[in-house]
Amino acid sequence: MTPEREAELFAKLDPMLELHRRTENDIQGLREEIRDVRAEMRSMRGEMRDLHNGQKEIGDRISRADGRLEEQSKFLQLALAGRLSRKPAA
């Protein structure tokens, strides 16, 4: 290989190595971003799970309160029916 050809190849090799270095840096940056996004997603999944559990708990409490209200309503209806004076049929 002639010294001129060798110089041409090295002149082409330097920009290629720089491009490779930049690409590696970009890939490393993307890996870090992906890692951060994954961590954020895990955190959000935990928050969503907590929110879902809270909604379920509220739904259960509402159901229990609704049941108690229905029971009290029936009791009041029975109590009121017992207090109504019964008139003999004409």
Side-chain angles (χ1 to χ4, degrees), residues 62-80:
I62 288 172
S63 294
R64 286 193 302 270
D66 191 39
R68 286 193 297 267
L69 286 172
E70 188 175 331
E71 185 179 333
Q72 290 174 359
S73 175
K74 287 180 183 179
F75 180 76
L76 285 173
Q77 288 174 3
L78 289 173
L80 288 173

Side-chain angles (χ1 to χ4, degrees), residues 2-17:
T2 65
E4 293 83 20
R5 181 72 177 141
E6 188 175 330
E8 282 179 33
L9 290 176
F10 277 108
K12 291 178 181 178
L13 186 59
D14 283 340
M16 287 177 62
L17 289 172

Side-chain angles (χ1 to χ4, degrees), residues 20-51:
H20 177 71
R21 187 187 64 76
R22 288 181 184 175
T23 302
E24 285 293 319
N25 288 342
D26 289 345
I27 289 171
Q28 183 63 30
L30 289 171
R31 285 182 179 151
E32 290 172 5
E33 285 182 42
I34 289 170
R35 187 186 63 237
D36 293 345
V37 167
R38 284 181 178 166
E40 190 174 327
M41 292 288 286
R42 279 191 295 274
S43 174
M44 289 176 72
R45 271 191 233 126
E47 291 173 7
M48 292 295 287
R49 188 174 29 254
D50 293 344
L51 182 61

